[in-house]
Amino acid sequence: QVRERLKQQVVEMKEKFPGFRPGLAILQVGNRDDSNLYINMKLKAAAEIGINANHIKLPNTATEADVLKCIASLNGDPAVHGFIVQLPLDSDKPINTEKITNAIAPEKDVDGLSSINAGKLSRGDLGDCFIPCTPKGCMELIRQTGVQVAGKRAVVVGRSKIVGAPMHDLLLWNHATVTTCHSKTSTLAEEVGKADILVVAAGKAEMVKGEWIKPGAIVIDCGINHVPDSTKASGKRVVGDVAYSTAKEKASYITPVPGGVGPMTVAMLMQSTVESAQRFLQKFQPGKWNIQYNQLTLKVPVPSDIEISQSYMPKPIDQVAKEVGLLPDEVELYGQTKAKVHLSALKRLKNQPDGKYIVVTGITPTPLGEGKSTTTVGLVQALGAHLHQNVFACVRQPSQGPTFGIKGGAAGGGYCQVIPMEEFNLHLTGDIHAITAANNLVAAAVDARMFHELTQTDQALYNRLVPSVNGVRKFSDIQIRRLQKLGINKTDPTALTKEEINLFVRLDIDPGTITWQRVLDTNDRFLRKITIGQSPTEKGFTRTAQFDITVSSEIMAVLALSDGLDDMKNRLGRMVVASSKRGEPITTDDLGVTGALAVLMKDAVKPNLMQTLEGTPVFVHAGPFANIAHGNSSVLADKIALKLVGKEGFVVTEAGFGADIGMEKFFNIKCRYSGLRPHVVVLVATVRALKMHGGGPAVSAGVPLPKEYMEENLQLLAKGCSNLNKQIQNARLFGVPVVVAVNAFKTDTKAELALVVQLAKEAGAFDAVECTHWAEGGKGAVALAQAVQRASQTPSNFRFLYNVELPVIDKIRLIAQQIYGASDIELLPEAQEKIALYTKQGFGNLPICMAKTHLSLSHDPEQKGAPTGFILPIRDVRASVGAGFLYPLVGTMSTMPGLPTRPCFYDIDLDTVSGEVNGLF
């Protein structure tokens, strides 16, 4: 009856909350036969009822710490509503059973054995605790008799924590007069004879005799004992604590052994699990986060970004992790305000439906930027803190180059920031430093290999590459891969011929083809061109080289596009650093550094968890350049976030620079590799930038805005909306609805803002909305959030701009003509040679990542608006084979910015008393 009732309750839960199932976990240590039998009974009962039961088995070598770690994980798993630790613990190591049972979260302790649940039962808080399953089953059996417990005299024989003691409390709070007897009770027969209700759990075979029992009594026998019986094949039989054959003649009801209390105990475990799931549903709607949002206290005028950031106390980051459904063992804390999230979370959530995928981009910006990061944060604060949707922001980690240069940080601004901003903008969790180390290891390996090949014989090189250790020579795995690539299918180092040794040891790098440079995460113009190898120890082998900024490293792009540790390792091994003198690509795998790179990057691959001012979650992960790379945060962060927010939730990510660069690469590169499909494009526009595109004077950082930007000028604005129109059309080329966010400044007039909204809608935007989130936080982006919600409900007929199978020239031409507005392209000789080379080397089917100025749709930063009819010059083409794209260079691009005359660091200082960062951005 109990099982049938529970089965119906589970069906009703599933109907009300599709996809929901009560979850039970059974933790076992060791491999005792009796424990295995009991667990199988429980798993079978759970399956029959519809409970999702999971059996976790630890070896008998498990320590107390191992068990506690597993319990902590189950405590934090929202899919587990109840779990039990199967006793006894069969471990070779000493384990404190009480410590283990008390480690279980009381709200999941469906065995009712923790001190908290025992305490609540002893106080009579029956509606707010879990009762041990055997006493609970006993009470259910007593109720089935129809006899009223209230006022009856009850006797409990046994005082164990599992049965006797809780049975006493349970009968007492059901208003029976209860006596507890035990092995030291001198008048046991006399006390038993008084019982209207007798519960025996003494653990002694047939201890209670039939003649002791009061006629008509209810007898519940919880004992399981083995006694010799020569008539049985096993030589023994199971009996209870009550002499059944004589007791049944006097009792009105009696439970048999076996087959009485045992099955009810299992049924009660299932009932407690269902009850726990029901309590969970009362508190937490499945798929809906129970999140604490921060209330903003807005000030006028708006203070500096760092003043705002430091005036709000972030929630502990482990709290944020718990709120969004991450488990404790999926989160690696870096202090109180940031954490890394393990990729195991993605594996656990793989069957969860994805949420809605939103990309924030912008019109062609001024050098000041138009507020994409601020809008991204404002939108998620509006969706989360004001519309109460599950929402994640996924943003790039900023480089320290711009942070200490002229641009400043990238945490957003005003009342729309990722906090703490100083943590966000500086070292964070060290990912960029890991990339610097990995990149420079490759650079060192390139030069060292060339040096050794130039100064040693084949045999000397071979002896060093495959040394004899204790008289044994052995190829490493990476060396086996190189041999296979060369067509040498041998694994014995002594079996190679001289010709094969020559092929194996000599990469024969052509110095003129080296594309791999050293990197540094600081703007340093004097490292743009350097000479290396000037020490006498390098024996005159010098060459011209350069430093790039770290975020331009291909390793950063690899990190951003990888969908797992294995994929990242494979991509790292495919990176091409140069060509041999035979014209063959030389990879990092050929250099033998793939494994070392993976080790340096093993923590960087985990997304970083932070939060916004209003308490919504943020993933900060990867920060590739938006010109020579694709300018988007990581695929992994997006994938984990999409699973965490659930089907009705939102993930908002930002694409670097304008829609012609970051958005185009988001679609054609990132979405191509990730397999994710976007639902909405949010296109950020400002009156300031549109006036510039209409012919307004130049805008420069650090210089006051000309008066044309401070006064109403509808004619100039309308003319500049040609750029807005073109970027809307660019987004619609990919079949995705566009919502325009007009980021309002205090100098904008109502007529100017209304004109932009009107012209955006006429250009084909799904909607256009004025936003004031910089000054008002999420409240100022509520209308934008509502527009995004509506747009996400419309069909998204996403498509790529080109097929990667097309020739490289055709792919470049398609982007130039359809996205930029060019009439054609012009390939300079070096570009033609590179396209021919990469096609020959097998890289012609890679996507295209155009490296051009972000200040114009064309190659000329001075051409504003929406120019047409120009010829786009391609001066060179380079390959990021590991990341997975070719990048044509349009015009002049620098990968090592210089410091301005007055860099940001003039204003930065540390308060050595409080430890606070002052004056940052």
Side-chain angles (χ1 to χ4, degrees):
Q1 289 175 15
V2 171
R3 290 187 183 189
E4 285 301 316
R5 184 179 74 243
L6 294 176
K7 192 185 296 185
Q8 183 57 38
Q9 288 175 355
V10 170
V11 168
E12 290 170 2
M13 282 187 211
K14 290 179 180 177
E15 289 174 351
K16 189 172 181 181
F17 303 102
F20 179 82
R21 287 177 71 188
L24 170 67
I26 303 172
L27 176 58
Q28 179 185 9
V29 178
N31 195 36
R32 283 176 57 121
D33 290 339
D34 54 350
S35 292
N36 291 335
L37 178 65
Y38 298 144
I39 289 169
N40 286 335
M41 289 169 54
K42 293 164 186 173
L43 294 174
K44 183 179 177 182
E48 177 189 327
I49 291 165
I51 292 170
N52 183 29
N54 184 22
H55 179 197
I56 300 107
K57 200 168 187 177
L58 298 180
N60 59 6
T61 55
T63 64
E64 186 174 270
D66 295 331
V67 181
L68 290 171
K69 182 180 178 182
C70 191
I71 289 173
S73 176
L74 292 168
N75 281 341
D77 190 344
V80 174
H81 306 107
F83 77 90
I84 66 168
V85 175
Q86 185 67 42
L87 301 176
L89 299 169
D90 179 25
S91 176
D92 297 341
K93 305 291 191 298
I95 297 179
N96 184 327
T97 300
E98 187 166 356
K99 186 176 181 181
I100 295 300
T101 54
N102 280 326
I104 300 171
E107 66 273 15
K108 295 188 178 187
D109 174 30
V110 288
D111 243 352
L113 299 182
S114 68
S115 297
I116 289 177
N117 277 318
K120 287 182 176 181
L121 174 59
S122 69
R123 291 192 321 187
D125 298 336
L126 304 188
D128 187 35
C129 73
F130 285 112
I131 298 163
C133 297
T134 298
K136 189 173 183 178
C138 293
M139 279 304 301
E140 188 67 26
L141 286 167
I142 293 167
R143 289 192 189 99
Q144 287 292 319
T145 67
V147 174
Q148 293 293 319
V149 175
K152 296 292 189 294
R153 182 180 292 275
V155 173
V156 178
V157 181
R159 52 183 174 179
S160 73
K161 294 178 182 178
I162 296 175
V163 182
M167 192 72 235
H168 173 281
D169 293 338
L170 199 53
L171 286 163
L172 181 67
W173 293 111
N174 277 275
H175 311 298
T177 301
V178 188
T179 300
T180 295
C181 299
H182 45 76
S183 59
K184 303 297 183 185
T185 303
S186 58
T187 56
L188 182 59
E190 182 182 334
E191 296 297 335
V192 168
K194 299 174 185 176
D196 301 313
I197 299 168
L198 175 64
V199 180
V200 186
K204 187 174 180 181
E206 299 184 329
M207 173 184 175
V208 174
K209 310 305 179 184
E211 56 267 25
W212 297 357
I213 293 169
K214 180 179 179 180
I218 298 171
V219 179
I220 306 294
D221 187 352
C222 301
I224 297 179
N225 309 284
H226 294 90
V227 297
D229 188 338
S230 59
T231 66
K232 301 292 183 183
S234 64
K236 56 186 178 182
R237 62 187 169 90
V238 177
V239 298
D241 290 353
V242 178
Y244 181 78
S245 58
T246 53
K248 71 177 182 177
E249 302 300 328
K250 299 188 73 173
S252 58
Y253 296 91
I254 187 169
T255 58
V257 177
V261 173
M264 281 302 296
T265 298
V266 175
M268 290 302 102
L269 174 64
M270 301 302 121
Q271 180 167 309
S272 291
T273 302
V274 171
E275 287 172 359
S276 181
Q278 289 169 333
R279 293 176 189 176
F280 175 83
L281 290 174
Q282 289 172 358
K283 288 183 180 179
F284 309 102
Q285 190 176 335
K288 207 74 175 170
W289 295 340
N290 184 27
I291 192 165
Q292 172 193 325
Y293 297 110
N294 299 329
Q295 294 289 324
L296 296 180
T297 303
L298 305 178
K299 294 182 180 179
V300 180
V302 176
S304 71
D305 290 350
I306 190 129
E307 284 181 73
I308 294 173
S309 174
Q310 292 181 345
S311 65
Y312 288 90
M313 178 66 72
K315 294 179 289 185
I317 201 65
D318 56 342
Q319 178 185 330
V320 177
K322 184 177 181 180
E323 288 173 343
V324 302
L326 288 165
L327 307 186
D329 60 358
E330 292 169 346
V331 180
E332 190 176 329
L333 301 179
Y334 279 64
Q336 292 293 310
T337 58
K338 54 193 177 183
K340 278 196 167 291
V341 174
H342 290 249
L343 305 190
S344 58
L346 187 56
K347 184 178 180 181
R348 174 177 64 87
L349 298 165
K350 64 182 179 181
N351 295 323
Q352 288 282 99
D354 286 346
K356 304 292 174 57
Y357 196 28
I358 316 300
V359 59
V360 176
T361 185
I363 61 169
T364 305
T366 68
L368 305 178
E370 309 317 308
K372 291 194 310 299
S373 299
T374 305
T375 301
T376 299
V377 177
L379 176 56
V380 297
Q381 289 183 169
L383 283 165
H386 297 268
L387 300 181
H388 304 292
Q389 301 295 307
N390 292 358
V391 61
F392 239 107
C394 291
V395 299
R396 291 181 293 167
Q397 180 183 353
S399 164
Q400 284 183 183
T403 295
F404 287 110
I406 196 168
K407 181 178 180 292
Y415 287 101
C416 297
Q417 295 186 53
V418 180
I419 58 171
M421 69 172 299
E422 56 269 45
E423 298 283 350
F424 175 93
N425 284 308
L426 299 176
H427 304 284
L428 197 59
T429 56
D431 293 351
I432 290 180
H433 302 318
I435 292 166
T436 303
N439 183 99
N440 293 342
L441 176 63
V442 176
V446 170
D447 288 305
R449 187 59 175 263
M450 288 195 300
F451 174 77
H452 292 310
E453 287 186 25
L454 286 167
T455 57
Q456 297 182 47
T457 65
D458 289 356
Q459 192 59 48
L461 281 168
Y462 192 58
N463 290 341
R464 286 167 173 78
L465 289 170
V466 194
S468 175
V469 180
N470 296 325
V472 178
R473 302 181 84 173
K474 184 180 178 182
F475 290 125
S476 66
D477 291 343
I478 202 166
Q479 289 175 329
I480 293 287
R481 289 202 298 271
R482 171 145 175 82
L483 288 168
Q484 290 170 345
K485 181 179 177 180
L486 294 169
I488 303 171
N489 296 312
K490 296 179 181 178
T491 57
D492 181 2
T494 64
L496 268 62
T497 66
K498 286 185 177 181
E499 291 76 15
E500 288 169 339
I501 288 175
N502 175 268
L503 281 173
F504 174 72
V505 301
R506 297 203 175 273
L507 298 179
D508 207 19
I509 295 171
D510 179 355
T513 66
I514 295 172
T515 55
W516 198 269
Q517 308 298 343
R518 289 163 172 79
V519 298
L520 184 70
D521 197 36
T522 302
N523 288 359
D524 191 342
R525 66 192 324 121
F526 290 95
L527 293 177
R528 288 172 177 171
K529 190 172 287 289
I530 60 173
T531 302
I532 60 173
Q534 293 188 344
S535 169
T537 55
E538 274 43 78
K539 302 179 181 179
F541 294 107
T542 63
R543 70 179 181 90
T544 301
Q546 69 186 57
F547 268 82
D548 296 335
I549 198 158
T550 297
V551 292
S552 71
S553 169
E554 184 177 350
I555 296 177
M556 177 63 90
V558 164
L559 174 66
L561 289 170
S562 297
D563 67 4
L565 194 56
D566 190 56
D567 181 45
M568 182 182 73
K569 184 178 176 182
N570 289 334
R571 288 173 180 270
L572 290 170
R574 291 198 302 265
M575 296 187 302
V576 174
V577 300
S579 293
S580 71
K581 291 172 183 174
R582 297 183 296 274
E584 296 165 347
I586 303 297
T587 67
T588 42
D589 217 46
D590 294 324
L591 285 167
V593 297
T594 304
L597 296 179
V599 169
L600 285 169
M601 293 293 293
K602 67 180 178 64
D603 292 320
V605 76
K606 305 166 193 171
N608 304 297
L609 180 66
M610 295 188 75
Q611 62 192 289
T612 67
L613 279 167
E614 295 192 53
T616 57
V618 181
F619 275 139
V620 185
H621 199 217
F625 256 25
N627 45 29
I628 67 164
H630 63 292
N632 288 267
S633 59
S634 79
V635 166
L636 278 168
D638 290 0
K639 284 191 170 184
I640 296 172
L642 284 164
K643 295 298 183 186
L644 287 170
V645 299
K647 188 177 180 181
E648 301 303 318
F650 294 84
V651 171
V652 182
T653 189
E654 177 194 345
F657 291 155
D660 55 309
I661 300 180
M663 182 197 71
E664 181 270 318
K665 295 172 184 180
F666 172 82
F667 290 143
N668 282 322
I669 298 175
K670 185 176 182 180
C671 291
R672 196 184 298 270
Y673 282 121
S674 70
L676 300 174
R677 299 294 177 260
H679 293 79
V680 182
V681 170
V682 174
L683 184 68
V684 180
T686 63
V687 168
R688 177 183 67 195
L690 292 172
K691 284 181 175 179
M692 179 192 72
H693 286 296
V699 174
S700 301
V703 178
L705 282 173
K707 64 180 181 62
E708 287 85 349
Y709 297 100
M710 312 298 286
E711 300 170 353
E712 184 175 289
N713 191 328
L714 298 179
Q715 184 177 359
L716 191 67
L717 180 62
K719 185 180 177 184
C721 281
S722 61
N723 185 272
L724 173 63
N725 189 323
K726 174 58 178 167
Q727 299 287 31
I728 291 171
Q729 300 314 312
N730 283 344
R732 295 186 67 195
L733 274 174
F734 296 91
V736 184
V738 184
V739 174
V740 173
V742 186
N743 188 15
F745 292 0
K746 62 183 180 181
T747 53
D748 302 337
T749 68
K750 288 185 178 180
E752 287 175 330
L753 294 169
L755 179 62
V756 177
V757 168
Q758 175 194 333
L759 293 178
K761 291 178 180 178
E762 290 175 2
F766 174 86
D767 203 351
V769 181
E770 177 189 337
C771 306
T772 54
H773 45 276
W774 178 80
E776 297 183 299
K779 176 185 173 185
V782 167
L784 173 63
Q786 290 168 333
V788 167
Q789 282 182 298
R790 293 192 302 272
S792 71
Q793 302 301 322
T794 63
S796 175
N797 303 309
F798 177 71
R799 55 188 174 269
F800 297 119
L801 182 66
Y802 54 81
N803 187 325
V804 289
E805 303 296 325
L806 288 173
V808 173
I809 294 174
D810 291 351
K811 289 182 283 192
I812 296 172
R813 183 176 287 112
L814 271 171
I815 295 171
Q817 292 177 335
Q818 297 202 34
I819 301 296
Y820 306 154
S823 59
D824 205 349
I825 61 173
E826 177 189 12
L827 294 176
L828 300 183
E830 190 171 357
Q832 293 178 25
E833 291 171 11
K834 289 288 186 63
I835 289 172
L837 174 65
Y838 293 142
T839 303
K840 179 184 175 183
Q841 291 179 337
F843 308 138
N845 290 341
L846 293 176
I848 301 300
C849 183
M850 301 288 278
K852 78 168 188 71
T853 178
H854 63 291
L855 298 175
S856 172
L857 280 162
S858 75
H859 58 285
D860 180 0
E862 300 304 317
Q863 281 195 294
K864 304 302 183 183
T868 58
F870 56 91
I871 304 294
L872 192 76
I874 310 297
R875 67 177 176 87
D876 195 4
V877 178
R878 294 179 186 169
S880 287
V881 178
F885 52 75
L886 301 178
Y887 58 101
L889 301 181
V890 182
T892 303
M893 301 300 304
S894 173
T895 50
M896 173 52 84
L899 286 172
T901 306
R902 191 185 192 284
C904 293
F905 60 64
Y906 275 56
D907 302 311
I908 300 172
D909 201 2
L910 179 71
D911 186 322
T912 56
V913 176
S914 68
E916 283 192 348
V917 176
N918 295 323
L920 189 63
F921 332 117

